Amino acid sequence: MEIDINCLVKEYGNMISMIAHRMIQNKEIAREAAQEVWYELCKSISSFKGDSEISTWIYTIARRTIGRYAACEKQVKMSEIEYFRSLPEFEYSGGEEAKREWIKERCDWCITALNHCLNNDARLIFIFRENVGLPYRQIGEIMELKESNVRQIYNRSIQKITAFMNDTCPLYNPDGACKCRICKPVYSIDMDKEYTMVQRMMRLADLYRKFEKELPRKNYWEKFLQ
């Protein structure tokens, strides 16, 4: 079965970069992990016989490769996150023209850190479901778990993160008692103009996918198109 690697990179490049970025807090290590995924795909592409969906094959290699790099990632306790958000608020001191990007960068960092309240397997399942939008069946194939186990892990994760964001994130719940360290900068921009769609979203999945479109791109795959 002949596969054009350039087509794969164009279709899956952003997703692989996003998975690495959400799994690994260090940007350079995340970049290296994402690039290693593509090296592995290029090396084994001739072995793909079409026995499974090509997306399942790609994400399985991504799981194994990024998982190796993420093995040393620390799982953060919710008590540590609670302590962190109790610290003084971040202050912005730059110009107005760069303020929105600064806020988006802080939100991006916050989401990545929050994902680390989950262990590596739970975090991957959460990412595959919320960010990538894969069905439970396919996630089970990728993770080599029963579908029922995937659902159970995901449900626990979504409850944990949703409860935290409902109380903390002004973008997820504008009416909540926000304790986010960048609340003031977020509210200082034109929320109606910048985040009207986000404010109306009820599902965490929609918020995460919106962030993937709005927050700074992590193009760790571009070298494969050269």
Side-chain angles (χ1 to χ4, degrees):
M1 183 176 182
E2 188 173 345
I3 300 173
D4 186 341
I5 191 66
N6 286 332
C7 290
L8 292 186
V9 171
K10 289 177 181 178
E11 184 171 355
Y12 295 97
N14 282 330
M15 283 299 183
I16 297 300
S17 295
M18 177 274 296
I19 293 169
H21 176 63
R22 296 288 175 226
M23 286 294 295
I24 302 167
Q25 295 193 68
N26 183 289
K27 291 183 179 181
E28 291 305 313
I29 296 177
R31 180 190 301 275
E32 184 178 341
Q35 291 176 351
E36 184 67 21
V37 171
W38 289 105
Y39 285 127
E40 292 293 331
L41 287 169
C42 290
K43 187 172 65 176
S44 59
I45 195 168
S46 61
S47 66
F48 179 71
K49 305 301 182 184
D51 296 332
S52 66
E53 297 174 69
I54 192 165
S55 58
T56 300
W57 177 70
I58 290 172
Y59 288 132
T60 299
I61 291 177
R63 171 184 69 84
R64 293 170 180 167
T65 305
I66 295 173
R68 291 199 302 270
Y69 282 84
C72 295
E73 290 288 299
K74 177 186 176 184
Q75 182 179 351
V76 180
K77 297 178 181 178
M78 294 306 291
S79 59
E80 293 177 286
I81 297 178
E82 290 284 353
Y83 169 74
F84 176 79
R85 72 174 184 173
S86 70
L87 297 174
E89 294 182 357
F90 289 115
E91 296 290 340
Y92 177 71
S93 58
E96 283 300 313
E97 67 280 357
K99 189 173 185 178
R100 285 179 173 80
E101 290 306 310
W102 180 86
I103 291 172
K104 289 177 181 179
E105 284 279 4
R106 301 288 82 71
C107 288
D108 184 54
W109 174 84
C110 182
I111 288 177
T112 302
L114 180 56
N115 283 355
H116 279 68
C117 72
L118 308 174
N119 64 40
N120 281 357
D121 282 350
R123 190 156 72 253
L124 260 177
I125 289 171
F126 180 83
I127 291 169
F128 281 137
R129 183 64 181 167
E130 292 296 301
N131 297 77
V132 185
L134 299 181
Y136 294 111
R137 170 197 56 77
Q138 189 175 11
I139 297 174
E141 293 175 11
I142 295 167
M143 299 297 297
E144 299 180 18
L145 293 171
K146 293 181 180 178
E147 182 177 331
S148 58
N149 291 342
V150 170
R151 287 178 179 272
Q152 185 180 55
I153 293 170
Y154 168 77
N155 287 334
R156 289 175 179 171
S157 299
I158 199 74
Q159 290 173 9
K160 191 174 187 179
I161 290 181
T162 300
F164 184 86
M165 292 188 73
N166 190 58
D167 183 42
T168 304
C169 181
L171 302 182
Y172 182 65
N173 180 18
D175 298 323
C178 175
K179 299 177 183 177
C180 174
R181 295 179 67 191
I182 60 168
C183 268
K184 288 182 180 178
V186 168
Y187 283 124
S188 71
I189 66 175
D190 188 345
M191 291 287 285
D192 289 335
K193 180 180 179 180
E194 292 286 322
Y195 293 108
T196 296
M197 289 181 63
V198 177
Q199 287 180 310
R200 291 175 180 171
M201 291 174 183
M202 299 301 293
R203 295 172 60 248
L204 189 61
D206 294 327
L207 179 61
Y208 268 70
R209 289 168 196 167
K210 174 69 174 178
F211 278 153
E212 294 306 333
K213 292 180 181 179
E214 296 294 334
L215 296 178
R217 290 285 186 177
K218 307 295 184 299
N219 297 330
Y220 302 152
W221 46 269
E222 285 185 328
K223 63 184 298 182
F224 289 90
L225 292 178
Q226 297 175 358

